[in-house]
Amino acid sequence: MKETHAIPGYTFGTRAIARSPVTLGDFELMKRSILFDDEDVKYLRLSRGIVADQVEAILDVWYGFVGSQPHLLASFTDRADGKPLGDYLGAVRKRFGQWILDTAAAEYDQRWLDYQHEIGLRHHRAKKNHTDGAASTAIVPFRDLFPLIYPVTFTLRPFLASKGHAAGDVEKMYAAWLKSCLLQMTLWTYPYIKDGDF
Amino acid sequence: MKETHAIPGYTFGTRAIARSPVTLGDFELMKRSILFDDEDVKYLRLSRGIVADQVEAILDVWYGFVGSQPHLLASFTDRADGKPLGDYLGAVRKRFGQWILDTAAAEYDQRWLDYQHEIGLRHHRAKKNHTDGAASTAIVPFRDLFPLIYPVTFTLRPFLASKGHAAGDVEKMYAAWLKSCLLQMTLWTYPYIKDGDF
Ligand code: HEM
Ligand code: HEM
């Protein structure tokens, strides 16, 4: 949640970020729709100490999954010759690592909300490739965004369980991650939605 | 999956249904993105025998949840005076019950795909209220659709566990339901997405 100047393009909390069209009040109602409460905040924060020193291993699993599926990897390829763009993959990976820590920090203020909108714009044709000057495809298609939540949270589970926490606590951390991803992805997909339909 | 003429407005497999803009080939790739495979089909079908005689009890829980949250119930209210429309709630409930059985049947042919698109249109301003001639609000807002998947699947769990199946099997049925809901909701939200962004 800090301004981590060490990560190129990670502009959380800076003036480069526009205000989210979704209000904190809207977000409160979305939390109610998904039964997200203080318990979830507690279990996300509990997970922070568990995932903090495993970020690279987690990213290896997630990148391995995306890399193994041509229709997913396509979003990281050169739009001219279809080859994976190593620099682009590497630059996004650093911000993805920070996102793991931010998700586990579970601090939902206006700056957080604004950055969720920015992450959405970066998947959408509005701003994909801009941050890293990548010569990649124009948009991450909507159809794969929500489905990817399952592999991401499911493969996180063994990491959550890797430090000896009780099975019930691991289960609650997993549920909190699943809910948080569904909420975030909903915020992220705002730019994909027709005006007035969000 | 049958043409159940007993349920008003349930037009699965009839000529009233247009072709889905998503192809079965697209859907195959979506399944890969979410790690949905034959195991999931197997566990969805296993769940059919468990949920079949509990449909009304499951609907009581789900309707209870929606009814307890004014911002959700709003989609079932009279657009003029904001009061819940009992006839509308009741008519949709019958099709919702059939949907539980269809989801557990896990048969993914062109007719199934086409009806998913129809369900999406019925949540969207394109066709909401048409089926039942309801005088309700114009659209179910996008922002609550994916979040509701969590309470729906989470509250299904005790029903899946209620007939003495091994914990591991209950877990696999739950995971298959979660994946199926994420896939279906992605298909349903097609009408909400800007042209070319799906
Ligand atoms: C659970 C689902 C997903 C999560 C949690 C996720 C997370 C992230 C994060 C944290 C970033 C970096 C944001 C930043 O710049 O700070 C990112 C960027 C990106 N993601 Fe995703 N993502 C998901 C789904 C997908 C899918 C399905 C694809 C398609 C393969 C995808 C492709 C990309 C690409 C291409 C970027 C770089 C965008 C740019 O040019 O800035 N993501 N994602
Ligand atoms: C997991 C999430 C959801 C599931 C599984 C679900 C399922 C369904 C099903 C099966 C139907 C009947 C489709 C048919 O006509 O055959 C339906 C209709 C409807 N749903 Fe949902 N739904 C979900 C989310 C929501 C949410 C968040 C709302 C808002 C409160 C909502 C409001 C409605 C309304 C108003 C209708 C009637 C639409 C019409 O006028 O035909 N649904 N839903």
Side-chain angles (χ1 to χ4, degrees):
Chain A
M1 305 296 274
K2 300 182 208 79
E3 292 178 31
T4 309
H5 294 293
I7 302 177
Y10 179 69
T11 51
F12 190 110
T14 70
R15 297 188 156 228
I17 298 299
R19 198 169 181 91
S20 170
V22 184
T23 68
L24 285 169
D26 297 332
F27 184 61
E28 277 309 312
L29 292 179
M30 287 167 58
K31 283 199 230 168
R32 279 190 219 161
S33 300
I34 200 171
L35 292 167
F36 185 99
D37 60 19
D38 290 346
E39 274 265 301
D40 295 296
V41 170
K42 183 180 124 187
Y43 281 98
L44 283 170
R45 292 184 185 160
L46 176 62
S47 81
R48 200 164 203 254
I50 300 173
V51 296
D53 66 356
Q54 305 189 84
V55 167
E56 291 306 317
I58 294 166
L59 290 171
D60 282 346
V61 173
W62 291 351
Y63 267 64
F65 182 70
V66 169
S68 73
Q69 305 227 25
H71 71 289
L72 296 178
L73 187 59
S75 289
F76 290 99
T77 57
D78 191 315
R79 66 171 161 264
D81 65 14
K83 298 220 176 87
L85 293 164
D87 289 354
Y88 185 36
L89 281 157
V92 174
R93 182 176 166 125
K94 291 208 185 72
R95 300 195 298 274
F96 211 129
Q98 182 60 40
W99 173 82
I100 295 175
L101 300 175
D102 289 349
T103 297
E107 281 170 23
Y108 308 116
D109 55 8
Q110 186 66 46
R111 296 191 322 155
W112 177 84
L113 196 62
D114 295 343
Y115 200 63
Q116 301 320 302
H117 188 58
E118 174 71 14
I119 294 179
L121 292 169
R122 291 181 183 187
H123 284 84
H124 188 253
R125 62 177 85 250
K127 276 191 105 169
K128 183 171 183 288
N129 307 321
H130 286 217
T131 306
D132 308 297
S136 187
T137 56
I139 187 172
V140 178
F142 175 82
R143 73 183 70 173
D144 294 311
L145 289 174
F146 283 95
L148 204 73
I149 290 176
Y150 183 83
V152 158
T153 49
F154 183 77
T155 59
L156 187 67
R157 226 164 159 155
F159 291 101
L160 295 173
S162 67
K163 302 218 169 145
H165 289 74
D169 285 345
V170 172
E171 189 57 31
K172 284 176 184 157
M173 286 189 277
Y174 167 73
W177 267 86
L178 175 60
K179 292 187 215 179
S180 178
C181 286
L182 280 164
L183 287 171
Q184 290 186 62
M185 191 57 82
T186 298
L187 294 171
W188 296 358
T189 45
Y190 186 98
Y192 291 77
I193 304 299
K194 290 177 186 157
D195 285 352
D197 288 357
F198 187 82
Chain B
M1 306 296 275
K2 301 182 207 80
E3 292 178 32
T4 310
H5 294 292
I7 302 177
Y10 179 70
T11 50
F12 190 110
T14 70
R15 296 186 158 232
I17 298 299
R19 196 169 181 92
S20 169
V22 184
T23 68
L24 285 169
D26 297 332
F27 184 60
E28 278 307 312
L29 292 179
M30 287 167 58
K31 283 199 228 165
R32 280 191 218 161
S33 299
I34 201 171
L35 292 167
F36 186 98
D37 59 19
D38 291 346
E39 274 266 301
D40 295 297
V41 170
K42 183 180 125 187
Y43 281 100
L44 283 170
R45 292 183 186 161
L46 176 61
S47 81
R48 201 164 202 255
I50 300 173
V51 296
D53 66 357
Q54 306 188 83
V55 166
E56 290 306 318
I58 294 166
L59 289 172
D60 283 345
V61 173
W62 292 349
Y63 266 66
F65 182 70
V66 169
S68 73
Q69 304 226 26
H71 71 289
L72 296 179
L73 187 59
S75 289
F76 290 99
T77 57
D78 190 315
R79 66 173 163 264
D81 66 13
K83 298 220 175 88
L85 294 164
D87 289 353
Y88 186 36
L89 281 157
V92 174
R93 183 177 165 123
K94 291 206 185 74
R95 300 195 298 274
F96 212 130
Q98 183 60 40
W99 173 83
I100 294 175
L101 301 175
D102 290 348
T103 297
E107 281 168 25
Y108 308 116
D109 56 9
Q110 186 66 45
R111 296 190 322 156
W112 178 85
L113 197 61
D114 295 344
Y115 199 63
Q116 301 319 301
H117 188 59
E118 175 70 14
I119 294 180
L121 293 168
R122 290 181 184 188
H123 284 84
H124 189 253
R125 62 177 84 249
K127 277 190 104 168
K128 184 171 181 288
N129 308 322
H130 287 218
T131 306
D132 308 298
S136 187
T137 57
I139 185 172
V140 178
F142 175 82
R143 72 184 68 173
D144 294 310
L145 290 173
F146 282 95
L148 205 74
I149 290 176
Y150 183 83
V152 158
T153 49
F154 183 77
T155 59
L156 186 68
R157 227 165 158 154
F159 291 101
L160 295 173
S162 68
K163 303 220 169 144
H165 289 74
D169 285 345
V170 173
E171 188 59 31
K172 283 176 185 158
M173 287 189 276
Y174 166 74
W177 267 86
L178 176 59
K179 291 188 218 181
S180 178
C181 286
L182 279 164
L183 286 171
Q184 290 186 62
M185 190 58 81
T186 298
L187 294 171
W188 295 358
T189 45
Y190 187 97
Y192 291 77
I193 305 298
K194 290 177 187 158
D195 284 351
D197 289 357
F198 187 82

